[in-house]
Amino acid sequence: LAIQTQYIGLTGYATIDCSDADADFYYSEGCPSAETSCASENLIVTSSSNKRDLEVYQNQIVYKDDINGNWDIFHYDIDTGVTKQLSTSSASDSNPKFYGNYVVWQSLENGNWDIFMYDLSLSSLTQVTTLPTNEILPDIYDTTLVWASTSSYGDWDISTRDLSTGINSKFVAKANDQSAPRIHSDYLVYTEGTSPNLNIYLYQISTGTTTQVTSSGRNNAPEISESHIVWQSDDASTWDVYAYEISSRTTTTISADTAYNERLPKIYSNQVVWMDDRNGVFDVFHYDLTTAATTQV
């Protein structure tokens, strides 16, 4: 089961050291990594255990930690310095996402991947999915939760839960695989195809309209803000980062060079960051969509 995982430790940065047969930078669970200490960065969560799958929302962080001998989900408040453990099962918990009071993740607690949700305001845990199939890669915006789920035909679809009603339903269900959903406001972005030949699609929730954003090469790891989509693609033989403006339907090359790789972009508003190996190791770079300026972080 291929799961996109970012190996970024809060105690430093991590270098990938595991098998990736199709070289699409999607790794199976449990890949080892080599931790390297930070220099001038501000260490905010430190211990002898590993911390991965970092997500930030305002002044709060969620991540997975193996301090208990398996991966559990933790929450950290930057202002108060308080850490709270959200999952306590002996199974692996992974890929946490965060919005408002809600933290969602996937768990192997029942022998297959299910989606769980924790309400920070109520200190309550809810199992969102209970099917004997796999549900992975959750994301959340406002009261809409989305994830990738295996269908009765054996392919991947995009499912959703309306938190205001508690009802689960299919969001996108077509031939081939639809996976890696990311949601923001009225838009859902996802990948479609058979790995490693994937394309990026944009779905407008209010109108039910689907737009195909890419049409060639291997495209994955999409992320979305209120105005743009970003993703990685190896159309040019190395991994590059691109952005798509939703309103104008135009694509911008953020960083592309055949001599090195740019991978796993993230976006907030008009700010894009990614990992880049132009210096022989992976460093973090930043791009401003308004000024078109690139900065090494």
Side-chain angles (χ1 to χ4, degrees), residues 124-192:
S124 63
L125 179 65
T126 301
Q127 183 173 344
V128 176
T129 63
T130 58
L131 296 173
T133 52
N134 288 299
E135 291 82 38
I136 62 171
L137 300 174
D139 197 24
I140 185 169
Y141 182 85
D142 197 14
T143 59
T144 303
L145 169 60
V146 295
W147 63 89
S149 59
T150 49
S151 73
S152 57
Y153 299 101
D155 64 344
W156 291 95
D157 296 327
I158 307 300
S159 297
T160 181
R161 167 174 280 203
D162 185 335
L163 298 184
S164 62
T165 64
I167 296 176
N168 293 359
S169 59
K170 290 286 187 181
F171 226 153
V172 182
K174 299 186 291 182
N176 297 320
D177 293 324
Q178 295 85 45
S179 191
R182 293 292 178 261
I183 188 170
H184 192 289
S185 188
D186 192 32
Y187 288 96
L188 173 78
V189 63
Y190 59 92
T191 63
E192 180 175 315

Side-chain angles (χ1 to χ4, degrees), residues 195-222:
S195 182
N197 299 311
L198 303 174
N199 281 303
I200 308 297
Y201 285 76
L202 180 68
Y203 177 78
Q204 187 170 11
I205 299 168
S206 61
T207 65
T209 303
T210 300
T211 301
Q212 184 172 345
V213 177
T214 65
S215 58
S216 64
R218 295 186 298 182
N219 307 276
N220 57 37

Side-chain angles (χ1 to χ4, degrees), residues 75-150:
H75 169 268
Y76 178 81
D77 189 305
I78 296 173
D79 292 340
T80 64
V82 174
T83 300
K84 184 175 185 178
Q85 184 173 344
L86 305 186
S87 68
T88 58
S89 74
S90 59
S92 179
D93 302 305
S94 189
N95 288 320
K97 294 294 178 181
F98 197 7
Y99 186 89
N101 290 317
Y102 298 112
V103 181
V104 297
W105 65 88
Q106 64 189 59
S107 175
L108 273 175
E109 182 172 341
N110 299 308
N112 59 280
W113 290 109
D114 284 311
I115 306 300
F116 282 72
M117 179 178 70
Y118 191 93
D119 188 330
L120 292 167
S121 64
L122 300 176
S123 297
S124 63
L125 179 65
T126 301
Q127 183 173 344
V128 176
T129 63
T130 58
L131 296 173
T133 52
N134 288 299
E135 291 82 38
I136 62 171
L137 300 174
D139 197 24
I140 185 169
Y141 182 85
D142 197 14
T143 59
T144 303
L145 169 60
V146 295
W147 63 89
S149 59
T150 49

